[in-house]
Amino acid sequence: RVLALDSRPEVRNCAVKSLTSALLSHGRKVGHHCYQRCLQDILLEVLAEIRNATGLARGRDEAASDALIVHHSRDTLEKQWDETM
């Protein structure tokens, strides 16, 4: 859950993909109650926190000295957080 909110987009995206993959692959093995709890208490909470982070990033401007040169599709924090969703 912590990694899904990491400031590094690559780490964030990998964490979310790993979490959803684990739930999809092993969901039947853990039972209905546990699966439902994982969805509600973990996955939906993570998605809500990512949505909040996307909203916060929308209002931020990074200083030019801290900015990395990236493809225009990922040139803002908002776009990077949006990609995580």
Side-chain angles (χ1 to χ4, degrees):
R1 188 171 176 172
V2 173
L3 292 177
L5 299 171
D6 194 276
S7 63
R8 298 164 291 179
E10 296 84 5
V11 173
R12 227 179 16 243
N13 294 338
C14 185
V16 171
K17 287 178 184 175
S18 295
L19 176 60
T20 54
S21 177
L23 287 173
L24 290 172
S25 298
H26 305 291
R28 292 182 182 209
K29 297 175 185 174
V30 297
H32 179 72
H33 179 71
C34 182
Y35 185 73
Q36 185 120 12
R37 192 161 173 226
C38 286
L39 285 177
Q40 290 176 344
D41 294 346
I42 299 172
L43 187 61
L44 293 178
E45 289 293 323
V46 165
L47 292 176
E49 291 173 16
I50 290 170
R51 185 175 31 177
N52 289 339
T54 302
L56 292 173
R58 186 175 294 132
R60 286 190 206 150
D61 286 333
E62 288 188 326
S65 62
D66 292 338
L68 295 174
I69 298 173
V70 293
H71 189 270
H72 68 86
S73 64
R74 299 183 70 213
D75 62 353
T76 67
L77 283 175
E78 180 185 4
K79 289 177 184 177
Q80 292 173 8
W81 277 101
D82 214 21
E83 181 182 354
T84 303
M85 290 291 280

